[in-house]
Amino acid sequence: MSTVLVTGAAGFIGCNFVRLLLSEASGDYRVIAYDSLTYAGNLANLSDFEGNDRYSFIKGDICDEEKVDEVMAQVDVVVNFAAESHVDRSILSSREFIRTNIDGTRVLAESARRHKTGRFIQVSTDEVYGALGPSGYFTEETPLSPNSPYSASKASADMLLRAYHHTHGFPVIVTRCSNNYGPYQFPEKLIPLFVTNLLEGKKVPVYGDGRQVRDWIHVEDHCRAVLAVMEKGKEGEVYNVGSNNEQYNIDITQLILEHLGKDESYIEHVTDRPGHDRRYAIDSTKMKEQIGWEAQTEFKQGLHDTIEWYLNNKEWWSAIKTGEYLKYYEKQYANR
Ligand code: NAD
Ligand code: TYD
């Protein structure tokens, strides 16, 4: 049985990945969930696994060299989800993004190298490629051209790991996925923010004209892709993960409004995000041809199920949308 260290396990994608690893359908994995529980980390996301003898949780920072070293001694595979992940927060301050996303990745990689751990899967993002015009797709050969402090920090980690592979033969594999949606996403990102605002009777803040395009993938498809790469990917390679599902923000907004029986008066067009990337679109041919993975969730069904999840889990998100969150919301959206 291999032991997988899942960092950032208490966040959105991390907790869905832990669920996949512990499900009957996956191989026999033992999971060490490691997370410092920042504003985005939530132990409630992992409460289903308490008492499972293949699961343990350790509260720790990926920048803490001693703690990481202690844990790494028991690990066979690392999957690094831990990150500061929100573009808007990186515009307000980039400090934590540089610390966690770059230095934290270095700490993990150094420790994995010392312990001669097996594979290291770095969960990166399509945002490292920058923005596309109206046509074309990101491939694994597209030059990195990050535009936000968030994507610049993720691109830096990718570059560092590339160099570790080249110099030290470090067994890293990088995945670059498009925008995820699904259960347990923190309500600062587009879909859960808009759904929960409407459930609270508030308006939804659409940046600029709302004609930006994202290539949305269900989080469970992303998690299956990461697992497939962990099991079948080639060390030193990069794999793009996407669902061939480009959507304008304004169209997603309309779908959410319709589902919740609200009209357009709930839309508030607010000042655009500085440096806002206009379009992302992923070519994931390599995943299909070399790994045999393809996304399975149809978008309208996936969005429907996600909205229903937020409707049925009001305690989960209302506990979050208080205190610290309110301060962030005020800073981010007041006077916009
Ligand atoms: P998230 O913000 O929901 O979760 C991040 C988790 O990391 C939180 O639980 C947080 O507590 C933890 N964390 C942050 N700093 C830490 C530190 N220093 N030490 C230990 N833990 C720390 O993010 P997410 O949406 O689940 O994204 C996970 C990963 O996937 C990120 O690396 C992100 O760049 C990448 N990614 C996300 C998307 C997306 O659409 N959400 C798309 C592609 C790639
Ligand atoms: P987001 O979920 O923050 O993901 P990313 O910036 O990583 O793509 O945003 C998705 C899209 O939605 C992006 O084009 C910005 C837009 N957006 C809004 O229009 N209003 C909002 O309040 C938020 C959070 C995002």
Side-chain angles (χ1 to χ4, degrees), residues 78 119 185 259 322:
V78 178
R119 299 191 147 189
Q185 186 165 31
H259 189 118
T322 52

Side-chain angles (χ1 to χ4, degrees), residues 7-15 34-42 60-63 80-86 96 99-101 104 122-127 150 154 175-181 184-186 188-189 216 222:
T7 65
F12 164 48
I13 309 176
C15 78
Y34 187 90
D35 200 298
S36 62
L37 302 179
T38 67
Y39 79 92
N42 187 348
D61 192 318
I62 59 165
C63 301
N80 182 25
F81 291 97
E84 287 296 329
S85 67
H86 192 36
E96 281 304 301
R99 194 186 81 86
T100 288
N101 300 3
Q122 174 70 2
V123 181
S124 186
T125 164
D126 62 349
E127 302 192 26
Y150 161 66
K154 293 294 287 185
T175 61
R176 297 193 180 131
C177 188
S178 58
N179 285 65
N180 285 220
Y181 69 96
Y184 299 100
Q185 186 165 31
F186 195 85
E188 64 187 349
K189 305 281 167 62
W216 293 91
H222 182 197

